């Protein structure tokens, strides 16, 4: 079944406006309750390794250099050089200009290469520029594209424009997977997060992602819960599974495990895989490695033991 089998652009507005409203109190209470669950001993070790395998290790700074990107790729391939049993991350995420550097550094590793595109982080560019940005990144070696939606168009109610842009970018991706960034911190309401999630999935997104990491409010547990419920309900209706990627502000192991518990309790084991869930992060990996070392040796490595990103 195709993504757009049931809803075309002509009735997109009525479909999105007809989605059930989100119970703000309920979703925040459930997210808070799930955040109190604890994971101990061997289960915690398994959760930490899974979280490492779910990390999209990211550098998206104007001061990025080829050397910094190569170092990040080396870390992603082998996060703890002292422990060959430590798993690699899911992907390295960089700006399009750094894709050729990262592609060479990751060759043969099995670590995916993601590139932000479509005038990240604002999304404020003509469609032809966004498509050229996407094609260039894919041709240079990216096998995942993280695009941003036009939030202004979405908030103005121009759902068809947002839908059509995602469809066009998906086509420009070719065989590369498409992660659609909703920038939930700018969408204002949980209802808008649900609508944007469904819109992106109907247009063909392989993943829906919370944030660019460049605004004041990024990933939160309640927002991610709304998105997880959306991908669950979308699969029930359309038979296609879509991944979820919270990004921005997830900095420590305790928080990462809260997200894993939420996945297990909301959508089940099917999403407990880097194929279907990712953390967009730069500093999270170091804390995961420190906690992993603590479980294995009984003491913490110093904060400068692992490279800073």
């Amino acid at each position: 079944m195709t993504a757009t089998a049931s809803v075309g652009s002509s009735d997109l507005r009525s479909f999105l406006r007809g989605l059930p409203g989100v119970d703000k109190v309920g979703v925040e209470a459930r997210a808070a309750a799930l955040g109190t669950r604890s994971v101990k001993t061997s289960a915690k070790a398994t959760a930490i390794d899974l979280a490492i395998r779910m990390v999209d290790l990211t550098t998206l700074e104007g001061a990025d250099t080829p050397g910094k990107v190569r170092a990040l790729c080396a870390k992603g391939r082998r996060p703890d050089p002292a422990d060959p049993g430590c798993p690699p991350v899911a992907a390295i995420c960089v700006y399009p200009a750094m894709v050729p550097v990262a592609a060479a550094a990751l060759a043969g590793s099995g670590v995916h290469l993601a590139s932000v595109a479509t005038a990240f982080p604002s999304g404020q560019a003509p469609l032809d520029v966004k498509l050229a940005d996407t094609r260039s990144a894919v041709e240079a070696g990216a096998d995942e594209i993280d695009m941003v939606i036009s939030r202004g168009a979405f908030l103005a109610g121009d759902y068809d424009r947002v839908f059509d842009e995602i469809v066009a970018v998906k086509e420009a991706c070719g065989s590369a997977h498409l992660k659609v960034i909703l920038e939930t911190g700018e969408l204002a309401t949980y209802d808008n997060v649900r609508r944007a999630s469904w819109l992106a999935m109907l247009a063909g997104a392989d993943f829906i992602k919370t944030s660019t990491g460049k605004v004041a409010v990024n990933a939160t547990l309640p927002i991610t819960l709304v998105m997880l419920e959306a991908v669950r309900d979308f699969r029930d209706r359309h038979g296609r599974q879509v991944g979820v990627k919270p990004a921005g502000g997830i900095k420590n192991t305790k928080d990462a495990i809260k997200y894993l518990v939420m996945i297990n309790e909301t959508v089940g084991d099917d999403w407990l895989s880097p194929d279907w869930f990712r953390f967009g992060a730069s500093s999270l990996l170091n804390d995961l490695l420190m906690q992993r070392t603590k479980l294995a040796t009984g003491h913490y490595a110093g904060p400068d033991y692992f490279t800073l990103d």
Side-chain angles (χ1 to χ4, degrees), residues 15-167:
F15 174 80
L16 295 177
R17 291 291 181 181
L19 288 171
V22 177
D23 178 349
K24 180 178 186 293
V25 173
V27 77
E28 290 178 355
R30 176 158 174 75
L34 291 172
T36 65
R37 306 283 177 85
S38 60
V39 177
K40 303 295 186 183
T41 58
S42 61
K44 185 173 183 180
T46 299
I48 288 173
D49 277 7
L50 176 57
I52 290 171
R53 293 193 296 113
M54 289 175 165
V55 169
D56 280 6
L57 190 58
T58 302
T59 183
L60 296 170
E61 302 297 335
D64 286 342
T65 65
K68 180 180 180 182
V69 169
R70 291 188 192 100
L72 198 71
C73 292
K75 183 172 182 175
R77 293 178 67 148
R78 191 166 178 180
D80 184 353
D83 182 0
C86 182
V89 301
I92 300 295
C93 184
V94 296
Y95 274 120
M98 290 295 168
V99 169
V101 175
L106 294 174
S109 68
V111 175
H112 291 286
L113 174 50
S115 176
V116 296
T118 66
F120 177 97
S122 70
Q124 295 283 10
L127 180 58
D128 59 345
V129 173
K130 295 180 179 182
L131 297 180
D133 200 24
T134 301
R135 294 190 188 103
S136 175
V138 172
E139 289 168 3
D143 62 349
E144 299 179 354
I145 293 294
D146 289 28
M147 74 165 286
V148 288
I149 67 167
S150 298
R151 282 88 72 195
F154 179 89
L155 292 169
D158 193 353
Y159 300 139
D160 287 352
R161 175 186 162 193
V162 180
F163 180 94
D164 291 344
E165 285 193 350
I166 296 171
V167 170

Side-chain angles (χ1 to χ4, degrees), residues 58-272:
T58 302
T59 183
L60 296 170
E61 302 297 335
D64 286 342
T65 65
K68 180 180 180 182
V69 169
R70 291 188 192 100
L72 198 71
C73 292
K75 183 172 182 175
R77 293 178 67 148
R78 191 166 178 180
D80 184 353
D83 182 0
C86 182
V89 301
I92 300 295
C93 184
V94 296
Y95 274 120
M98 290 295 168
V99 169
V101 175
L106 294 174
S109 68
V111 175
H112 291 286
L113 174 50
S115 176
V116 296
T118 66
F120 177 97
S122 70
Q124 295 283 10
L127 180 58
D128 59 345
V129 173
K130 295 180 179 182
L131 297 180
D133 200 24
T134 301
R135 294 190 188 103
S136 175
V138 172
E139 289 168 3
D143 62 349
E144 299 179 354
I145 293 294
D146 289 28
M147 74 165 286
V148 288
I149 67 167
S150 298
R151 282 88 72 195
F154 179 89
L155 292 169
D158 193 353
Y159 300 139
D160 287 352
R161 175 186 162 193
V162 180
F163 180 94
D164 291 344
E165 285 193 350
I166 296 171
V167 170
V169 173
K170 174 66 174 175
E171 183 178 358
C173 283
S175 61
H177 279 201
L178 177 62
K179 304 193 200 88
V180 177
I181 306 170
L182 309 180
E183 198 66 293
T184 53
E186 294 183 341
L187 297 185
T189 68
Y190 293 127
D191 286 350
N192 276 342
V193 172
R194 175 174 284 174
R195 291 182 188 121
S197 297
W198 272 87
L199 186 156
M201 292 186 290
L202 289 165
D206 298 300
F207 263 74
I208 51 175
K209 176 178 171 182
T210 62
S211 322
T212 63
K214 304 295 187 182
V215 297
V217 179
N218 293 292
T220 69
L221 287 168
I223 283 171
T224 305
L225 177 56
V226 171
M227 293 169 66
L228 285 169
E229 290 174 343
V231 298
R232 178 197 63 199
D233 296 346
F234 182 84
R235 189 179 72 170
D236 287 346
R237 181 175 296 198
H238 291 282
R240 184 171 74 86
Q241 188 160 327
V242 176
V244 175
K245 178 180 172 181
I250 305 170
K251 298 182 181 299
N252 60 56
T253 301
K254 183 178 180 181
D255 287 342
I257 289 177
K258 289 178 182 179
Y259 282 91
L260 297 183
V261 169
M262 180 178 288
I263 298 168
N264 189 59
E265 295 289 332
T266 306
V267 292
D269 290 351
D270 288 354
W271 271 268
L272 280 171

Side-chain angles (χ1 to χ4, degrees), residues 1-21:
M1 181 180 293
T2 62
T4 57
S6 300
V7 180
S9 61
S10 62
D11 59 358
L12 187 60
R13 169 181 287 273
S14 61
F15 174 80
L16 295 177
R17 291 291 181 181
L19 288 171

